[in-house]
């Protein structure tokens, strides 16, 4: 029975919600591929996928035509380092599943399990052109919890369908620098040693699983769940998001990643521009908040609005985010990208930094992040420059599903704009 | 005449005396106490001024006008004239502003700069909440402010010329606010906006009840909040009465003892101190208005006020400003119903809408936050022009702070607080290029010497110059 039900669900999911053929015509297409930008182009959506695009792409006779005149089509935006799907009201703990203060689970915490596709934050974020997010665990250090990892991030979609996980366990989250030092007893060096010791433990565990299963393994500081979760990190298969800001911390992490053969993604990296050449040479992507220009801690003294532009110029793959861990303010993502442009990042690089770059880094570029024939129809039609506040989405497609341009706040607005008698 | 004034200023500068020219007379030992209404006086002096003509810009005056190919004349630290293609009199330095935009200086009605200074992760820098009692009306935020906060520089580089610094919202009565000119200064006195009224920060809702309820004391509920306010105002009325009686009695006999907490509240009852009320929910704003009626004071502005749209006509009728964001919501229950159109709906009801920051990052882009609010208005079909929306971060906060007679608009006679923007200020790409306060240049993007004044960043990694 259950199996039949599952099969049915799988069939339903495989079928696009709309078999309608749609053509958006006369819009500027920012493809985020080698084709670059297509002025006054047409993009055809069929069976939930991009069927054709180009200046001369023919409009099928049966297509519903959306006039994109004066507008811009971009891939759906991707908000990284977000807690979308894992929180409703930040200060209501029972509405939030974005962190654990368990003393026995850290790396094992898999945020992709326990997400809420009915979250009212999803349509709010879609109204800002966001179609996917990298939902990323936060730390909760209540009660002196000192476990090193926050847990595992997942790529999700914002279509509000029961299965919302595009890619589970897409990365492991680790804070080093000040936060890591505090958890390791108060010193950066201790956190690094702890990390190396953990990796050694994980590798030993992975090589002696049978012995552990017989109860013969050597003593381990971490729970079995955590050890299991860290194997792909230690193997270099799962990227490790490392939250650091200070230039010296970044340099330490680059060295550690090289020696331990880890795939790392720097997150924060406010002083990244000071060591841009090293980051670039190590081919490490960087997630950064383009608005972070204040010395908010002693690790961020070099913070500058030009961080994104300088890292990009040095050849680093840049991903832009808004405030770390803040799901409610996801809708400001495009404004952050606009500010990065105002401070020197090329416009197309800024759009790439919120579409194709995160798609590539988190392993979902085969589905989303660009406008390409065969990719999911995951895109937004804007009535102007997508990075300008005065522009608004005119149509939003999440993996082939067109979503209504409404959300609870707009319903509240409408209730009070025309009060009932 | 102007010559004489200049000489006087020069003489003061030569003497190295930045003190106020007001000379308090030493009180005789047996004299009755006199309450100094201007204790800790401003020592601000306008920066060196010249005669400037900004020519060719699109000018948003914040009086409802958008002037194409506008000229703004600045003389003696004041706006001398604003108009289309005005002739530039001789003796003016011309700034080519063609293709650019000019607005009044940005005013933030709600900031904690200096009181919770950078690096803000350092607990030693957190002086914003005297969270030791639900009523700390006796504290003045100006005594917490560190003028070396690098946040002031970042705000100035974004066109912020004036801001009100408030104590935090952990208490029912947080303390007195201060309004500052955003000029580099070693002392807080050197930043104080001369003659600006002080405010009293009060907070309703979740914060006070959480802080004190969490300690097992009142207020632990919203009804506890209201009881706490009422008790305080009853005490304040009694205190004001005792002083009035003594004053009217020819100041004879024993004077009442000064009580700093009650002195603040009595100052509100006299209308000298303006109430700045942190309050999110519509029902709570209505309760606060009832309390103000019961005790005979006025609320100048509701801050945050994310549900103002639900009672917009009431707030317009009461002439209470609403200082809010476009984007912030959802961090606690009392902002669950926040909408991006809040400011627009207040504006459309004829009220006084303000976009504020409450944040050292947002203060650097109040224009962008206003653009998001304006965009939401247009999406809703509410026609508000840029010429009107500019008031949300210039003229309207000036009104809430009680300084609208001096700043907030580009009108002849107003202080020359002016921003030259690279683009339309409602564009994400707009950056402040030059900023003047009282006719003196305080920021010029073309001159690295104007960047990052804070002593804290000297000799540190990064870019101090």
């Amino acid at each position: 029975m259950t199996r039949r039900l599952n099969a049915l669900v799988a069939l339903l999911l495989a079928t696009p919600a709309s078999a309608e053929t749609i053509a958006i015509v006369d819009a500027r297409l920012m493809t985020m591929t080698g084709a670059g930008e297509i002025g006054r182009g047409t993009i055809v959506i069929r069976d939930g996928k991009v069927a054709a695009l180009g200046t001369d792409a023919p409009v099928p006779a049966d297509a519903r035509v959306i006039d994109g005149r004066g507008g811009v089509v971009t891939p759906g935006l991707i908000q990284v380092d977000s807690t979308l799907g894992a929180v409703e009201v930040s200060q209501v703990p029972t509405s939030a599943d974005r962190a654990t203060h368990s003393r026995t689970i850290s790396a094992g915490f898999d945020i992709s399990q326990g997400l809420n596709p009915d979250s009212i934050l999803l349509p709010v974020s879609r109204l800002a052109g966001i179609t996917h997010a990298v939902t990323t665990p936060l730390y909760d250090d209540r009660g002196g919890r000192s476990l090193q990892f926050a847990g595992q991030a997942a790529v999700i979609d914002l279509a509000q369908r029961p299965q919302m996980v595009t890619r589970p366990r897409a990365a492991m989250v680790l804070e080093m620098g000040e936060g890591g030092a505090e958890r390791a007893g108060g010193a950066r060096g201790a956190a690094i040693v702890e990390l190396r010791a953990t990796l050694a433990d994980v590798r030993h565990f992975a090589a002696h699983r049978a012995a552990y299963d017989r109860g013969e393994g050597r003593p381990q500081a971490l729970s079995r769940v955590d050890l299991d979760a860290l194997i792909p990190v230690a193997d270099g298969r799962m990227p490790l998001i490392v939250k650091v800001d200070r230039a010296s911390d970044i340099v330490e992490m680059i060295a550690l990643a090289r020696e331990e053969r880890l795939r790392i993604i720097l997150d924060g990296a406010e002083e990244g521009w000071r060591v841009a050449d090293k980051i670039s040479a190590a081919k490490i992507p960087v997630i950064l908040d383009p608005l972070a220009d204040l010395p908010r801690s002693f690790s961020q003294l070099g913070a500058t609005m030009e961080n994104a532009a300088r890292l990009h110029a040095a050849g680093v793959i840049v991903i832009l985010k808004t405030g770390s861990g803040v799901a409610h303010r996801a809708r400001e993502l495009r404004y952050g990208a606009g500010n990065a442009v105002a401070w020197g990042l090329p416009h197309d690089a800024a759009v790439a930094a919120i579409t194709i770059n995160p798609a590539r880094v988190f392993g979902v570029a085969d589905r989303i992040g660009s406008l390409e024939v065969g990719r999911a129809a995951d895109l937004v039609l804007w009535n102007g420059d997508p990075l300008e506040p005065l522009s608004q989405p005119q149509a939003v497609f999440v993996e082939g599903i067109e979503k209504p341009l409404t959300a609870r706040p707009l319903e509240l607005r409408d209730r009070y704009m025309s009060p009932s008698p | 005449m102007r010559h004489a004034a200049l000489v006087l200023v020069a003489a003061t500068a030569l003497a190295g005396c930045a003190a106020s020219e007001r000379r308090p007379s030493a009180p005789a030992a047996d004299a009755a106490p006199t309450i100094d209404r201007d204790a800790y006086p401003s020592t601000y002096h306008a920066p060196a001024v010249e005669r400037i003509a900004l020519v060719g810009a699109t000018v948003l005056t914040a009086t409802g006008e958008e002037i194409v190919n506008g000229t703004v004349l600045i003389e003696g630290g004041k706006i001398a004239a604003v108009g289309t293609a005005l002739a530039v009199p001789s003796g003016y330095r011309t700034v080519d502003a063609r293709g650019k935009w000019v607005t009044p200086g940005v005013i933030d009605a709600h900031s904690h700069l200096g009181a919770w200074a950078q690096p803000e992760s350092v607990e030693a820098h957190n002086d914003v909440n005297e969270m030791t009692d639900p009523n700390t009306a006796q504290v003045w935020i100006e005594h917490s402010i560190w003028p070396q906060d690098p946040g002031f520089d970042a705000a100035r580089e974004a066109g912020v010329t004036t801001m009100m610094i408030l104590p935090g919202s952990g208490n029912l009565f947080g303390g007195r606010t201060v309004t500052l000119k955003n000029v580099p200064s070693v002392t807080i006195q050197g930043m104080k906006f001369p003659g600006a009224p002080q405010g009293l920060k009060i907070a309703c809702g979740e914060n006070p009840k959480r802080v004190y309820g969490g300690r097992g004391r009142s207020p632990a509920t919203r009804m506890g909040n209201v009881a706490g306010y009422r008790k305080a105002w009853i005490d304040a009325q009694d205190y004001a009465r005792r002083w009035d009686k003594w004053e009217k009695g020819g100041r004879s006999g024993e004077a009442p003892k000064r009580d700093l907490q009650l002195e603040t509240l009595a100052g509100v009852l006299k209308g000298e101190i303006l109430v700045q009320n942190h309050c999110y929910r519509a029902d709570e704003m209505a309760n606060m208005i009832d309390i103000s009626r019961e005790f005979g004071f006025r609320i100048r502005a509701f801050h945050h006020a994310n549900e103002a749209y639900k009672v917009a006509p009431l707030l317009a009728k009461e002439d209470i400003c609403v200082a809010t964001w476009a984007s912030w919501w959802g961090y606690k229950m009392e902002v669950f119903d926040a909408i991006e159109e809040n400011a627009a709906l207040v504006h459309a009801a004829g009220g006084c809408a303000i976009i504020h920051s409450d944040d050292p990052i947002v203060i650097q882009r109040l224009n962008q936050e206003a653009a998001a609010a304006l965009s939401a208005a247009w999406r809703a079909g509410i026609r508000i022009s840029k010429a009107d929306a500019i008031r949300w971060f210039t003229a309207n906060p000036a009104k809430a702070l009680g300084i609208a007679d001096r700043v907030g608009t580009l009108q002849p006679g107003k202080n020359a607080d002016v921003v030259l923007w690279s683009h339309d200020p409602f564009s994400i790409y707009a950056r402040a290029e030059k900023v003047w306060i009282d006719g003196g240049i305080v920021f010029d993007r073309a001159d690295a010497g104007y960047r990052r004044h804070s002593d804290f960043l000297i000799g540190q990694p990064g870019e101090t110059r």
Side-chain angles (χ1 to χ4, degrees):
Chain A
M1 181 64 192
T2 309
R3 187 174 300 168
R4 271 182 55 199
L5 204 62
N6 283 343
L8 187 67
V9 168
L11 189 70
L12 284 172
L13 286 175
T15 311
S18 164
E20 194 181 15
T21 300
I22 297 163
I24 302 172
V25 301
D26 204 8
R28 190 152 64 89
L29 310 178
M30 298 191 71
T31 65
M32 297 298 119
T33 69
E37 200 172 298
I38 299 168
R40 303 202 61 175
T42 295
I43 184 163
V44 178
I45 299 165
R46 179 181 287 143
D47 297 333
K49 296 197 184 307
V50 174
L53 80 167
T55 310
D56 304 315
V59 176
D62 61 340
R64 174 161 68 89
V65 175
I66 299 175
D67 185 357
R69 190 168 37 204
V72 178
V73 177
T74 64
L77 309 186
I78 303 170
Q79 167 77 332
V80 303
D81 195 13
S82 154
T83 53
L84 283 168
V87 62
E88 286 304 288
V89 179
S90 313
Q91 288 184 18
V92 176
T94 49
S95 83
D97 298 281
R98 56 192 184 171
T100 174
H101 56 271
S102 159
R103 288 169 179 279
T104 52
I105 299 175
S106 67
F109 171 40
D110 178 358
I111 205 166
S112 74
Q113 302 178 24
L115 297 173
N116 178 17
D118 294 326
S119 166
I120 66 159
L121 280 78
L122 305 185
V124 169
S125 305
R126 283 198 314 254
L127 285 172
I130 296 169
T131 58
H132 286 78
V134 181
T135 290
T136 306
L138 299 179
Y139 282 91
D140 181 344
D141 294 332
R142 256 182 297 170
R145 179 187 184 274
S146 61
L147 292 171
Q148 209 169 12
F149 298 89
Q152 298 162 76
V155 183
I156 65 161
D157 74 52
L158 275 57
Q160 289 184 297
R161 51 186 171 178
Q163 172 48 265
M164 66 192 293
V165 180
T166 308
R167 186 157 192 259
R169 298 175 293 283
M172 182 69 70
V173 180
L174 171 69
E175 184 177 19
M176 294 295 277
E178 289 183 17
E182 199 172 333
R183 260 171 229 112
R188 285 170 160 82
I192 292 170
V193 169
E194 185 183 345
L195 179 58
R196 287 189 191 277
T198 296
L199 290 166
D201 279 355
V202 169
R203 287 171 181 140
H204 186 271
F205 169 79
H208 302 86
R209 285 189 79 116
Y212 278 89
D213 287 341
R214 291 192 304 270
E216 295 167 4
R218 76 182 195 203
Q220 288 280 15
L222 294 184
S223 69
R224 171 143 197 148
V225 168
D226 284 355
L227 290 167
D228 259 331
L230 286 165
I231 290 172
V233 174
D235 286 353
R237 282 179 284 130
M238 178 188 273
L240 181 65
I241 296 173
V242 184
K243 294 173 182 269
V244 279
D245 288 308
R246 203 168 79 179
S248 61
D249 290 331
I250 293 169
V251 172
E252 290 279 4
M253 286 307 116
I254 292 172
L256 187 143
R258 190 189 308 119
E259 288 165 29
E260 298 281 353
R261 300 175 161 281
L262 304 179
R263 271 177 65 200
I264 67 168
I265 302 166
L266 294 171
D267 184 6
E270 294 195 12
E271 293 192 342
W273 62 272
R274 297 181 58 215
V275 289
D277 54 342
K278 290 189 172 66
I279 300 172
S280 179
K283 296 188 168 31
I284 294 171
V286 172
I287 301 166
L288 66 89
D289 178 351
L291 304 185
D293 67 342
L294 291 175
R296 299 187 94 142
S297 73
F298 273 92
S299 301
Q300 298 159 300
L301 295 172
T304 166
M305 289 296 294
E306 293 179 13
N307 196 22
R310 292 175 188 172
L311 286 169
H312 172 77
V316 175
I317 295 172
V318 171
I319 296 172
L320 300 178
K321 64 174 181 179
T322 55
S324 183
V326 178
H328 295 89
R329 293 180 65 193
R331 59 191 177 188
E332 298 169 55
L333 175 63
R334 61 196 183 103
Y335 310 151
N339 276 282
V341 173
W343 266 265
L345 186 66
H347 187 273
D348 57 345
V351 176
I354 53 179
T355 56
I356 187 64
N357 290 1
R360 284 204 184 111
V361 168
F362 290 96
V364 290
D366 56 333
R367 283 171 75 169
I368 59 166
S370 61
L371 305 180
E372 270 181 88
V373 172
R375 295 274 191 276
D378 193 84
L379 51 90
V380 182
L381 169 65
W382 307 84
N383 62 0
D385 181 345
L387 307 187
E388 284 280 19
L390 292 176
S391 302
Q392 292 283 349
Q394 305 301 295
V396 176
F397 291 81
V398 186
E399 299 205 18
I401 306 166
E402 184 170 13
K403 303 305 295 185
L405 295 171
T406 188
R408 183 175 178 274
L410 291 194
E411 292 181 39
L412 272 167
R413 173 200 74 185
D414 291 343
R415 165 174 286 186
Y416 285 92
M417 271 181 71
S418 47
S420 49
Chain B
M1 189 60 194
R2 195 167 58 240
H3 244 61
L6 279 176
V7 169
L8 192 69
V9 169
T12 312
L14 272 176
C17 170
S20 156
E21 281 148 43
R22 194 182 51 100
R23 222 163 279 153
S25 49
D30 59 344
T34 303
I35 296 173
D36 188 347
R37 301 269 176 237
D38 189 22
Y40 311 96
S42 171
T43 58
Y44 166 81
H45 284 296
V49 299
E50 53 179 339
R51 285 189 279 185
I52 302 156
L54 303 175
V55 178
T58 304
V59 181
L60 297 174
T61 60
T63 61
E65 276 191 280
E66 177 175 328
I67 300 171
V68 178
N69 188 19
T71 298
V72 177
L73 300 180
I74 299 171
E75 186 191 2
K78 308 275 188 203
I79 304 293
V82 182
T84 301
L86 293 181
V88 177
S90 63
Y92 280 73
R93 188 170 67 80
T94 297
V95 175
D96 182 358
R98 282 174 297 177
K100 299 174 183 178
W101 291 58
V102 172
T103 71
V106 176
I107 302 176
D108 189 3
H110 194 118
S111 172
H112 302 299
L113 288 182
W116 193 350
Q118 309 298 331
E120 67 181 17
S121 67
V122 176
E123 187 52 32
H125 278 185
N126 184 351
D127 289 298
V128 79
N129 265 310
E130 179 67 18
M131 254 169 350
T132 51
D133 193 87
N135 186 349
T136 58
Q138 70 275 14
V139 302
W140 296 22
I141 194 67
E142 63 193 77
H143 299 134
S144 273
I145 295 170
W146 184 46
Q148 300 297 335
D149 183 354
F152 287 121
D153 298 339
R156 190 181 316 109
E157 293 172 16
V160 177
T161 53
T162 299
M163 64 236 140
M164 183 164 68
I165 313 295
L166 300 90
S169 52
N171 300 343
L172 298 175
F173 297 88
R176 293 198 199 189
T177 72
V178 68
T179 295
L180 301 180
K181 298 262 193 186
N182 196 6
V183 291
S185 173
V186 175
T187 66
I188 195 63
Q189 290 85 344
M191 299 177 79
K192 282 180 77 170
F193 195 121
Q198 288 179 312
L200 169 63
K201 166 73 172 287
I202 63 178
C204 56
E206 292 181 23
N207 289 7
K209 82 172 191 127
R210 184 181 70 232
V211 169
Y212 294 97
R215 299 176 192 174
R217 60 179 291 196
S218 183
T221 59
R222 284 183 162 83
M223 61 186 171
N225 285 351
V226 174
Y229 305 129
R230 297 178 79 202
K231 179 188 185 304
W233 291 117
I234 289 166
D235 290 347
Q237 284 180 325
D238 179 61
Y239 181 77
R241 209 161 29 235
R242 276 187 280 134
W243 274 92
D244 285 348
K245 187 175 165 194
W246 180 74
E247 294 278 355
K248 280 179 191 144
R251 302 165 66 87
S252 66
E254 183 102 5
K257 186 185 174 191
R258 285 180 70 186
D259 179 310
L260 292 178
Q261 189 177 90
L262 292 168
E263 202 165 285
T264 296
L265 301 185
V268 170
L269 294 176
K270 284 189 199 316
E272 294 165 359
I273 296 173
L274 311 180
V275 172
Q276 309 290 348
N277 192 171
H278 160 120
C279 203
Y280 288 92
R281 254 170 36 184
D283 55 315
E284 288 202 275
M285 287 185 246
N287 287 340
M288 295 309 298
I289 290 169
D290 280 351
I291 293 166
S292 74
R293 289 213 183 95
E294 182 181 7
F295 295 99
F297 64 90
R298 287 201 51 228
I299 295 164
R300 193 70 168 203
F302 284 118
H303 292 242
H304 317 329
N306 285 92
E307 290 191 10
Y309 67 96
K310 298 185 183 181
V311 286
L314 170 67
L315 300 175
K317 182 165 76 70
E318 297 286 329
D319 195 24
I320 299 173
C321 291
V322 169
T324 189
W325 309 270
S327 302
W328 287 25
W329 72 292
Y331 42 92
K332 50 184 168 177
M333 280 312 295
E334 59 194 2
V335 283
F336 195 57
D337 286 2
I339 67 174
E340 288 179 296
E341 295 81 359
N342 194 35
L345 292 177
V346 167
H347 181 104
C352 162
I354 295 166
I355 297 293
H356 71 350
S357 81
D358 193 20
D359 179 89
I361 299 287
V362 177
I363 194 174
Q364 299 175 47
R365 42 194 56 85
L366 289 171
N367 58 315
Q368 296 173 6
E369 190 73 8
L374 183 62
S375 186
W378 292 358
R379 178 178 62 187
I382 305 168
R383 303 308 306 173
I384 298 173
S385 66
K386 292 175 183 174
D388 276 334
I390 188 78
R391 295 185 226 244
W392 297 347
F393 54 98
T394 56
N396 290 356
K399 176 183 172 175
L401 272 50
I403 50 176
D405 56 332
R406 279 160 281 177
V407 294
T409 60
L410 298 179
Q411 286 174 290
K414 289 276 180 84
N415 295 1
D417 288 9
V418 181
V419 182
L420 175 66
W421 302 89
S422 60
H423 293 78
D424 172 357
F426 292 94
S427 164
I428 204 79
Y429 308 117
R431 292 164 65 172
E433 288 195 348
K434 296 182 197 297
V435 181
W436 291 265
I437 292 179
D438 289 322
I441 188 115
V442 294
F443 176 65
D444 184 346
R445 192 168 298 281
D447 182 344
Y450 285 100
R451 275 178 229 153
R452 301 258 170 159
H453 288 272
S454 169
D455 289 350
F456 175 73
L457 291 171
I458 297 287
Q460 300 270 24
E463 298 165 320
T464 47
R465 279 280 181 259

